[in-house]
Amino acid sequence: MSLVIKVGISSCLVGEKVRYDGGHKRSDFCDVELRRHLQLVPYCPEVGIGLGVPRPTIRLQGDSDAPDAVIVKTAESVTERLADFANNRERQFEQLSGYILCAKSPSCGMERVRVYKEGSNENTRDGMGIFARRVQQMFPAMPLEEDGRLNDPLLRENFILRVYVYSAWQQLPRPLTASVLQRFHAQQKFTLLAHNQPVYRELGRKLAEQRSFDEDFTTWYIETLMDALSKPASRKNHTNVLQHIQGFFSDQMDADERQDLTEVILGYNSGQLPLVAPLTLINHYLRKHPDTYLQEQSYLHPYPDDLKLRYGL
Ligand code: SF4
């Protein structure tokens, strides 16, 4: 049975007519492309706390770091109810490997949400929706992203990559042991090297020194790893990783194969070829010259190929 990866999503992004005005904000990429591989689990916190559709608008006000969500017409605060909507779903959210949020919403927005000065229309765009903030506080390692940012090929690839790495972590047998963690860390080696070499080495060093793999340590490990992956990898780092991989099995390749791979990696480095080109060639040569260590690397098969995420990198 194939693995079902669940990702939470703001209901309006999958076409549910739950917005304050009875509309939706359906995203084709989420509702069509991602649905083919992920089980999208929609939630609308404002409907969930009983505000109904249509409903009066809500806005954030006060301190940007800890704003209050109020119904504009009545000034009634709904902050606690929105946070509790997340609190009461902890068990369900534990099953999620990521969350896609609707931008700009005082409930779901992840960043740059308007925060108003109390009793005024003056505002700054530096807030985070109440529900989104609570989900982030409850699950700091879980990848979160906004619908609009998913239109950027780099951010889109980065989010999906993190969803698959986080899901792999969630699938590890519990309780976590040294050998399970070391194997997981080894499988993420090239993915992590492409994003953040110092963090790869620090995590490896701590894993080797660690005697007890209690919750404090494993929470620190996954939060550090996911944070390191949250910045997209640069072309320079990808090139280094590709050359590193080439070095791993260059003895098995003949001179022509080595030459072809070198040229394709350089073509990627100069921006003439997308990342999918050297990776396709590496996977082709790996089928000819199998190497278990390389074939287990998440970097070579991070997510389903037909999402075509590495064509735009
Ligand atoms: S942004 Fe969030 S609260 Fe607003 S309609 Fe969409 S799911 Fe509901």
Side-chain angles (χ1 to χ4, degrees):
M1 205 170 70
S2 67
L3 172 68
V4 176
I5 299 180
K6 294 183 181 178
V7 169
I9 188 164
S10 298
S11 303
C12 52
L13 296 178
V14 290
E16 292 183 18
K17 294 180 175 173
V18 289
R19 296 194 79 211
Y20 70 97
D21 58 359
H24 62 76
K25 278 198 72 183
R26 183 173 173 275
S27 148
D28 264 5
F29 172 67
C30 298
D31 206 26
V32 179
E33 295 287 308
L34 289 185
R35 249 193 214 290
R36 289 194 285 119
H37 299 283
L38 305 172
Q39 182 180 333
L40 301 180
V41 189
Y43 296 95
C44 175
E46 291 180 20
V47 169
I49 63 169
L51 293 179
V53 183
R55 58 182 170 273
T57 50
I58 288 174
R59 72 181 196 183
L60 298 180
Q61 65 179 36
D63 176 0
S64 294
D65 292 328
D68 197 17
V70 295
I71 297 177
V72 178
K73 235 184 198 165
T74 61
E76 182 197 344
S77 171
V78 289
T79 308
E80 211 175 308
R81 285 159 69 195
L82 285 169
D84 278 346
F85 182 80
N87 294 334
N88 296 335
R89 281 157 187 78
E90 188 170 2
R91 287 276 166 269
Q92 292 172 38
F93 291 177
E94 268 172 9
Q95 312 294 318
L96 304 177
S97 303
Y99 210 112
I100 302 171
L101 294 153
C102 181
K104 298 183 190 157
S105 155
S107 305
C108 294
M110 195 181 87
E111 57 178 34
R112 293 195 293 275
V113 180
R114 284 182 200 273
V115 182
Y116 291 82
K117 220 167 150 181
E118 210 173 320
S120 152
N121 263 338
E122 243 181 84
N123 63 78
T124 49
R125 290 187 193 198
D126 55 358
M128 182 173 190
I130 303 295
F131 170 76
R133 185 188 294 271
R134 189 64 201 121
V135 171
Q136 188 183 54
Q137 286 166 343
M138 290 163 78
F139 302 97
M142 181 164 79
L144 302 184
E145 194 47 279
E146 284 189 337
D147 58 318
R149 286 167 48 96
L150 288 174
N151 293 325
D152 178 313
L154 271 180
L155 299 178
R156 176 184 288 197
E157 192 275 344
N158 181 261
F159 173 68
I160 303 300
L161 169 85
R162 287 183 288 139
V163 166
Y164 277 81
V165 171
Y166 191 56
S167 167
W169 169 261
Q170 290 170 308
Q171 301 310 313
L172 294 179
R174 280 4 188 223
L176 294 167
T177 61
S179 62
V180 166
L181 278 167
Q182 271 151 8
R183 181 159 183 230
F184 176 80
H185 188 67
Q187 288 168 342
Q188 307 308 326
K189 173 177 176 171
F190 293 116
T191 302
L192 250 177
L193 284 179
H195 288 80
N196 195 320
Q197 266 199 41
V199 169
Y200 168 74
R201 300 199 196 294
E202 187 197 357
L203 290 175
R205 197 172 50 246
K206 288 270 168 59
L207 268 180
E209 291 166 2
Q210 197 65 19
R211 292 290 157 262
S212 148
F213 298 92
D214 56 15
E215 207 178 319
D216 278 355
F217 176 76
T218 55
T219 301
W220 170 82
Y221 174 89
I222 191 61
E223 286 181 13
T224 308
L225 183 145
M226 296 307 298
D227 185 55
L229 296 184
S230 65
K231 192 167 166 260
S234 65
R235 189 172 289 268
K236 184 168 165 262
N237 281 5
H238 274 305
T239 303
N240 286 339
V241 166
L242 293 165
Q243 288 169 336
H244 203 78
I245 293 174
Q246 180 177 20
F248 248 85
F249 71 136
S250 71
D251 287 350
Q252 285 105 295
M253 288 189 278
D254 65 32
D256 284 347
E257 289 172 339
R258 268 197 298 276
Q259 179 65 22
D260 285 350
L261 185 52
T262 301
E263 281 172 16
V264 173
I265 291 174
L266 291 177
Y268 164 71
N269 187 43
S270 67
Q272 286 172 311
L273 293 172
L275 182 57
V276 69
L279 286 169
T280 303
L281 198 54
I282 285 172
N283 280 318
H284 169 70
Y285 288 151
L286 265 178
R287 281 192 291 276
K288 261 179 97 177
H289 314 291
D291 180 303
T292 313
Y293 179 73
L294 284 181
Q295 280 160 324
E296 282 202 347
Q297 285 298 319
S298 72
Y299 185 76
L300 295 177
H301 301 283
Y303 33 67
D305 290 345
D306 75 345
L307 282 169
K308 299 190 173 70
L309 297 171
R310 283 169 156 179
Y311 287 70
L313 303 188

